[in-house]
Structures are given as structure tokens and as C-alpha cells.
């Protein structure tokens, strides 16, 4: 695999302020290219930037005058300066909802906000990372966008590829529910069912990346992963800008692979270094489902090693049993004074309904996880209700209707007349 | 009913520039209040404004500095000036997508745009009108928000009421599909099943509005209809502002009751009168499903009277067989040089898939209707492909998955190995 990828590596690509790839473990630097693992130590590669040219106030003005999507932050992302002119799905600049009703129910007095990423084009935060991967694919001359997925990612890849005129080929287990197949297939790309489970799908994709049959293919979260992952930084940027260029005191972030949480921390650190926000302490809390809680278990046991689990939870978009960035999440939670907590399926459903009832936001199960964990962290004293807190909702309840279906229904059934209405106790 | 509503009528309410209610038929004016039919001629009441205080360039600046939602247009809507500070779901400022791929497929050379209202909080344009109705309800001292619905409206009312701290009570036929029940019920308001069909539900609601049992209830599209309907003007405002304060040449708008189309025309006329856009001709085209095409049939027959139909189409959000504003739609289509056209269910599905495949936008069946009608209007020479054209997508494909399910699926099924992959002809 290394031989193939190094061959296409070049620093002549224009990815804006992205200067090189740098190993998170050993610091080894390589030119920008479709590689994701360090050739020295096999550590994960991430983007190193050159931000030295920026004047803080000029940069702030440039951002504020930018488009109402993630490309307002183009100067901080691995994309060319004219990225907003290229065909992409342009996610981001989603609502930061001041959640006063939810704050009252949870006893938060310092200001509670929900960053609601269900407002993205395919209604999940995955649009942010896929939009980045697409720009990297374009820069590297790839013509096919690909991924393995059982949900949100498939839709995001299909939509982005369609709009950008890329071929897309998404791999899924062959026996997925029909609704999920439709959501992924409607964009007209190739949708290939693999006879096997999700692990078989992933194994096959790894094989394909190393083979000539997969030449010209950008797997958004494999060979394009360093670029893809940077999309999560935009959540940090938007939250701070929407708070009036201020850091929140506390953030509650879901954990799947852990990448999102680590990149949000990276984004906050960048804003501090660039002088766009005033430096001050902030705490990052990680949220998992009890049925897939390897990071939470490690955190509570005081361990640095994350032991894999076999997922069994309704929060399927977070069900990664062996999270690649788990150790980094532990570092960040401990360094910032946060924590990692989990909630069970019943608490997830309760939290989905709580958020809907108080703020009119219908979250995916992942949003139930963050809201449920926020409640639990307040109860056990780890999250300070007197501080400004931002909770992430990364997906849309319409995609996980089944999670709340058994518990949500008609409050009454009546005959079509006023007597029946009054008998049911519904009159004002 | 008139006695009850007149009792709560008052002009001391602060609804910004809204000056009075005025009958669309006879011009009779009454003070602002929760009334919807003229006491003189039973014609529909609509909002009359006093915009005389505005300086064009000051107004433009005020709008551009406003929030990224419909409240940037507060100076033109029946809402108080501080509306953005009140709890509401804040819809609008959705993407106007330059649809170059779709344009190529349809042969449009003058610029084709999709106004994509699936980006609203509950993923349909109904959030715009419900947000307006909510502010009217607040002004009139109502404490319950209500409607009859089988889909989008129920979710919009439930979400808005939840966020604003209103009671909500939504009436639906008791035997709706579970998915739709969940989407409406999750916001925690009362969801009442009526033993009967949708007509029975509507009849019951009319009875309730005239009865003391319904006192304090705002039915968004009945006694609050004049305010509710104004929400559709924001589509016109946004399209023009997003085009750089220019009128498009042609708009393709779906027709259910016809209210949306008439209010879009009203919004465009207001922008011209206020000097915010340069006056020039524009054409408005109405789009219906063949299975519910009373306005299209009347248009093609050259008639002014719209003969009711019994709906039978997959485009359920447009399935109003007796559209109240049908005659006004005919007037507008004819006056502006537009037309009214319809497409059948197969063409609707094709158009949903076309839009998804070309632009990565997964539309509700109503979006399939407008895209399908656009294609048909080009084919029959009624829509000029050399002119700037805006097509509305008013809802989200996730809500009408069934419409495309039978026709959308896996492109291949393979074993998890490269040989099987190559055999399927998938290699690059």
C-alpha cells in the first residue's frame, strides 16, 4: 500500500495553508498526499499548517465576510482559497441554539447551547468531513469517492460525489434495512452490498485500497482520512464565532472513533494561537452509549489503554468498538478537566424526547447520547451547571425513527365530535 | 365563530408593520385579530402593511445585518421588531443552490437554482409559516397551538410549540402510518387520533374553533391563517437577496392550497414597490401532481373556476383536492406569463432521482413535482431555458422514503474479495 500511495504523493497540490502531513506520534513529516499512516512508526498522520502569514483582525474580518458554510474558514483548512467556487455540498454554519428550556430542566444556569448539525445538507455532521475529503480527492486527481458505511456516511458521500461530478461507490453489508439502502442509493452512485458483516466490508475496503483495482479511488475515511478528519475542526470554529468569538467553558461531544472530539480540541487550540479567541480554560467531555463504551470504561478505570468492545446499542452511528482515537480522547478529557461518561439505551431515548419536548429539536440517537450524558454529568457533579456549556447534536431523528417508535405515539384517540373531545379531557 | 373571534380582535397588538386585515375580494378592512374570513363577503383576509416609513437603502442594510433566518425580514412581516429575541424555531435563509449539473441535463443555459427548504428545522417550508403563526398566537394571547395534518405541518407545529413553551395539540386520522405518528409525537405535545378520515379531522377542527372548548387555541392554518400565510413571502425575499437583490426571470412553485405561490408573488411585488429590486417581468409557474391537479386542469381548459378533485398521488403534501387559492394562482400564472403544469407519479419519482443524482439534494415528493414540471415545461416550450430559473424544493426525501423505495436499491452484491469485485465490473 505504501508504494502505491507514495507514488502519487506530491507537494505541488494547492491545499491552501496545509503545509505537510505530520505524524501525531513521532512528528515525522511527509509531503501532502493520500497517505494516512506514518512510514516510520505507523502512527496516524495529520495536517500541519502554515498560519504564519495571518494578521488576526484581518483574518477575523475575512472569515466574517465569508459564505454561510464551512468555507468561511477556508484560510484554516486544507483547501484551496477558491474552494467556495467549486461544486461541493457546502455544509456547516448550522444553528447554535440557546436552549433555555432544556437548561431549566437540567438546572444549567450558566447558559446552555445545542450545536445542531441536523441542519447540514444530508442532516449529519458527516457532511463536514466528507466535504473536506472531496476537496482532497479533487486535489489528488481521484475520480471516485468511496467509503464503507451503514448510515450517515453513505448519504454524505453519495450526495457530495453527485454534486461534484465524481463517481461514488459505497460498500455496505448486503442485508441492511431497506430504508437505509434507499437513503444511500438515491444519489445514483454505486451502492455495493457485501456478503458479510460490517467487519468484512471494512476488511475488503482495505484490500481494495492496496490493489490496482482501486486506483484513483479516494476512500474518505481511509486514504483521505487526514483531510477528512479536519472537517470536525469547523464545529469548534463555528461554536466560538457564534458565541461572539469566545471559548465555551464546557463542551459535550459524542465519541465514535474519537476523531471528532480530538479535532474539536485542535480547532479550539488553533483559535487561541491565532488570537481569534481569548485564551482561557475549557473542559471537553466525551459521551458514549453504555452498549459501546470502551473509552468511558477506560476513563473511569484510570487507564490509558482502550480495550475493544463488541457494540450493542441503539446509537449505531457511535458504535465503534475499537475507537482509533480513544487514547487521544482520554488525554484531552484529562488535560482539560473534562470526563468521559456513558448512558444506556433507555436514557438515550429519554434524552431524545427531552430535547424534542424542550427545544423542538429531533435528534438522532447520537444526540440522545450527548444530552443524556450531560444530564448524568450534572447529576454526578462532573459538569458545572454554572458554566457556559455546548452540547453537540450530530445527526437527525428522522434517520433513527425506530429508536423512539415504541415509546412515542398518540396521546388520545377520539370520535370526530366535541363530546368525545371533552370526555378525553382535552378542552382548554 | 365570528362573535368569538371579534371579541379578541384588537389593534393594540404589536405586529410590527402589519396595519390591518384586508379582504382580498372586497377590500374591507378590520383590525388585526384572529379572524380569517371577511365579515362582509366571506372572502379571505390578508395582512395590509404600512411600509411608508422605510428608506430603501437603510432597509436593505438592516436586512443584510439581520440574523441568518426569516427574522432578517422582520420589517416586512407581521411580527414585532424584537421577534428574533423570542423563542421560536427560526427557519429560513436556506440554501439557494446553483444547480449546474441539473441545468445541463435539462438544457437550461440561463442559470438554474434550487431553493432548498429541506434545510429548515423540521425539514420543510412549513417551518416558515408556522413560525409566523406562532408570533401571531403570542400577540393574541393564545396558549395552545393546533392544526390538522397528516405530515409536515404536524412536525412544524409540534417543534415550534415545544420551543416557545406553548401547549400543542395536533389532530390526525387515527390510522396514520407509525413513522408519521412518531415524527409528529416526538415533540411531546398532544397528538390526537380522530376516528375518521382527513376530511372528518378538518370538520372536527372547524367545530372546535367555534366552541368554548377551543378558546385560547390558535389553529395555525385556520384562525391564524392570514399571519401563517405571510411566512411564504420570505421565500421570495430570500431568493431575490441570494441572487444579489435581483428578481429571477422564472420561478417554479408547487401548488397545494395555492397560498405559497400567491404569497411568493406578493413578496416579489413588495420588493419592487420598496425599491429593493429593480422592476422587471418575471413568470411564475405552478406545479401539481397529475393525481391532484385541479389548478392545472383549470389552467389548461382556460377556466377561472377550479373544480375539486379526489386526490390520488404519491405527492401527499400537495394533495389538496379543493385548493382555496386556486383562482388566485390562475390569475398570477396568466398575468405573469407563466403556466400551470402537472406530472404523474412515475415522473415525480424520476425527478426526485434526477435531482439527487445531479445535485446531491434528496427532495420530498413535492420537490419531485417541481423538478418534473420544470422538465416538462421546457419540453413543451413554456419555460425558456435561456432565462434565470428558480425551482422550489419544499420538503425532505427522508419523510417520503416509500416513494422511491421500490425503485432504488443495491447496484451489485458481491462476496468480500477482489475477484468478486472485478467480476462485477466495478474496478476503475
Amino acid at each position: 500500500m505504501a508504494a502505491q500511495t507514495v507514488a502519487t504523493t506530491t507537494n505541488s497540490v494547492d491545499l491552501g495553508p496545509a503545509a505537510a502531513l505530520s505524524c501525531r506520534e513521532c512528528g515525522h513529516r511527509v509531503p501532502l498526499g493520500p497517505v494516512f499512516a506514518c512510514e516510520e512508526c505507523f502512527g496516524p498522520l495529520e495536517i500541519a499548517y502554515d498560519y504564519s502569514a495571518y494578521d488576526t483582525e484581518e483574518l477575523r474580518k475575512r472569515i466574517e465576510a465569508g459564505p454561510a458554510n464551512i468555507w468561511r474558514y477556508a484560510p484554516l483548512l486544507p483547501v484551496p482559497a477558491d474552494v467556495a467556487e467549486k461544486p461541493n455540498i457546502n455544509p456547516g454554519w448550522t444553528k447554535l441554539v440557546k436552549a433555555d428550556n432544556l437548561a431549566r430542566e437540567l438546572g444549567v444556569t450558566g447558559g446552555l447551547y445545542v450545536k445542531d448539525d441536523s441542519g447540514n445538507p444530508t442532516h449529519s455532521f458527516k457532511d463536514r468531513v466528507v466535504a473536506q475529503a472531496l476537496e482532497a480527492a479533487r486535489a489528488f486527481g481521484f475520480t471516485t469517492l468511496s467509503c464503507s458505511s451503514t448510515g450517515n456516511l453513505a448519504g454524505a458521500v453519495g450526495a457530495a460525489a453527485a454534486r461534484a461530478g465524481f463517481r461514488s461507490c459505497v460498500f455496505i453489508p448486503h442485508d441492511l434495512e431497506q430504508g437505509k439502502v434507499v437513503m444511500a442509493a438515491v444519489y445514483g452512485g454505486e451502492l455495493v452490498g457485501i456478503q458479510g458483516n460490517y467487519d468484512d466490508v471494512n476488511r475488503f475496503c482495505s484490500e481494495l485500497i492496496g490493489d490496482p483495482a482501486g486506483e484513483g479511488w479516494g476512500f474518505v475515511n481511509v486514504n483521505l482520512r487526514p483531510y477528512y478528519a479536519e472537517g470536525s475542526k469547523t464545529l469548534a470554529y463555528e461554536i466560538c464565532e457564534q458565541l461572539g468569538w469566545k471559548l465555551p467553558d464546557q463542551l459535550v461531544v459524542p465519541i465514535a472513533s474519537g476523531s471528532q472530539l480530538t479535532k474539536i480540541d485542535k480547532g479550539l487550540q488553533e483559535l487561541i494561537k491565532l488570537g481569534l479567541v481569548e485564551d482561557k480554560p475549557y473542559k471537553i467531555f466525551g459521551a458514549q452509549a453504555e452498549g459501546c463504551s470502551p473509552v468511558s470504561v477506560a476513563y473511569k478505570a484510570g487507564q490509558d489503554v482502550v480495550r475493544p468492545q463488541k457494540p450493542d446499542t441503539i446509537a449505531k452511528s457511535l458504535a465503534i468498538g475499537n475507537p482509533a482515537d480513544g487514547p487521544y480522547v482520554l488525554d484531552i478529557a484529562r488535560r482539560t478537566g473534562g470526563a468521559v461518561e456513558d448512558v444506556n439505551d433507555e436514557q438515550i431515548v429519554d434524552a431524545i424526547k427531552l430535547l424534542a419536548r424542550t427545544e423542538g429539536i429531533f435528534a438522532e440517537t447520537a444526540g440522545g447520547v450527548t444530552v443524556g450524558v450531560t444530564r448524568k454529568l450534572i447529576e454526578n457533579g462532573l459538569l458545572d451547571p454554572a458554566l457556559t456549556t455546548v452540547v453537540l447534536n450530530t445527526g437527525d431523528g428522522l434517520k433513527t425513527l425506530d429508536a423512539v417508535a415504541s415509546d412515542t405515539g398518540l396521546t388520545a384517540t377520539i370520535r370526530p365530535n366535541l363530546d368525545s373531545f371533552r370526555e378525553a379531557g382535552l378542552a382548554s
Side-chain angles (χ1 to χ4, degrees), chain A residues 377-391:
Chain A
L377 287 167
I378 292 168
E379 283 165 8
N380 62 23
L382 292 172
L383 190 138
D384 185 345
L387 297 179
T388 304
T389 303
V390 176
V391 179

Side-chain angles (χ1 to χ4, degrees), chain A residues 11 120 196 208-209 219 333 338:
Chain A
N11 238 2
N120 276 320
L208 183 54
I209 290 170
F219 280 78

Side-chain angles (χ1 to χ4, degrees), chain A residues 149-151 172-185 191 313-314 316 399-403:
Chain A
S149 170
T150 62
I172 61 174
H174 70 117
D175 54 358
L176 269 196
E177 307 94 291
Q178 196 202 21
K180 291 195 172 172
V181 172
V182 173
M183 288 184 218
L191 184 69
T313 168
I314 57 169
K316 295 201 191 303
K399 295 193 183 182
T400 55
L401 279 179
D402 287 349

Side-chain angles (χ1 to χ4, degrees), chain A residues 57-403:
Chain A
E57 291 315 312
E58 266 172 37
L59 178 60
R60 193 193 310 276
K61 270 186 210 143
R62 191 167 148 195
I63 292 169
E64 288 175 350
N69 58 51
I70 58 171
W71 305 133
R72 64 199 286 112
Y73 306 107
L76 309 179
L77 295 169
V79 292
D82 65 345
V83 61
E85 311 304 314
K86 295 172 192 285
N88 202 316
I89 44 171
N90 305 338
W93 204 241
T94 56
K95 289 183 199 299
L96 183 72
V97 177
K98 183 113 194 293
D100 291 342
N101 297 331
L102 181 61
R104 263 191 302 277
E105 296 248 359
L106 298 181
V108 175
T109 55
L112 181 64
Y113 297 83
V114 175
K115 179 63 174 170
D116 186 13
D117 250 15
S118 68
N120 276 320
T122 72
H123 307 319
S124 91
F125 101 96
K126 290 289 185 191
D127 289 325
R128 296 178 183 271
V129 285
V130 168
Q132 293 288 335
L134 172 63
E135 294 307 323
R138 206 187 319 255
F140 298 133
F142 289 151
T143 51
T144 300
L145 216 56
S146 186
C147 70
S148 58
S149 170
T150 62
N152 286 326
L153 188 58
V157 166
R163 175 132 173 94
F166 277 58
R167 176 186 177 197
S168 76
C169 188
V170 170
F171 297 95
I172 61 174
H174 70 117
D175 54 358
L176 269 196
E177 307 94 291
Q178 196 202 21
K180 291 195 172 172
V181 172
V182 173
M183 288 184 218
V186 73
Y187 301 102
E190 279 149 286
L191 184 69
V192 179
I194 300 276
Q195 287 167 347
N197 60 25
Y198 190 58
D199 287 338
D200 295 320
V201 177
N202 276 321
R203 243 189 320 268
F204 167 75
C205 288
S206 300
E207 226 185 313
L208 183 54
I209 290 170
D211 191 271
E215 209 174 318
W217 287 46
F219 280 78
V220 297
N221 56 351
V222 188
N223 55 349
L224 298 176
R225 188 169 187 84
Y227 310 89
Y228 169 90
E230 293 294 287
S232 291
K233 293 196 311 181
T234 59
L235 279 162
Y237 301 155
E238 289 181 18
I239 288 167
C240 290
E241 185 179 351
Q242 289 170 323
L243 288 173
W245 293 109
K246 281 198 184 114
L247 291 166
D249 298 319
Q250 305 174 125
L251 295 103
V252 184
V253 181
I255 302 170
S257 73
S259 167
Q260 185 186 64
L261 190 148
T262 63
K263 295 303 177 188
I264 285 175
D265 181 58
K266 187 181 182 190
L268 297 177
Q269 291 295 324
E270 287 172 352
L271 294 184
I272 293 170
K273 277 178 206 135
L274 287 160
L276 287 167
V277 298
E278 206 173 313
D279 194 3
K280 73 165 194 66
Y282 60 84
K283 299 179 180 185
I284 300 189
F285 297 86
Q288 294 207 295
E290 189 182 298
C292 183
S293 51
V295 189
S296 172
V297 166
Y299 176 83
K300 290 175 184 175
Q303 293 167 345
D304 294 329
V305 175
V306 174
R307 183 174 286 175
Q309 289 183 2
K310 193 168 167 0
D312 178 17
T313 168
I314 57 169
K316 295 201 191 303
S317 62
L318 303 182
I320 297 182
N322 188 14
D325 284 4
Y328 302 126
V329 168
L330 291 171
D331 280 353
I332 292 165
R334 287 172 181 144
R335 169 170 56 74
T336 65
V340 184
E341 187 52 276
D342 57 80
V343 283
N344 63 33
D345 285 358
E346 194 187 329
Q347 291 166 321
I348 294 169
V349 172
D350 280 352
I352 291 172
K353 292 167 70 178
L354 173 64
L355 181 62
R357 173 168 64 77
T358 52
E359 302 299 339
I361 297 170
F362 184 20
E364 209 223 73
T365 43
V369 169
T370 49
V371 171
V373 160
T374 303
R375 174 151 66 181
K376 196 166 170 183
L377 287 167
I378 292 168
E379 283 165 8
N380 62 23
L382 292 172
L383 190 138
D384 185 345
L387 297 179
T388 304
T389 303
V390 176
V391 179
L392 266 65
N393 172 40
T394 52
D396 200 294
L398 291 181
K399 295 193 183 182
T400 55
L401 279 179
D402 287 349

Side-chain angles (χ1 to χ4, degrees), chain A residues 421-422 424-428:
Chain A
F421 177 77
R422 286 198 192 87
L426 292 163
S428 53

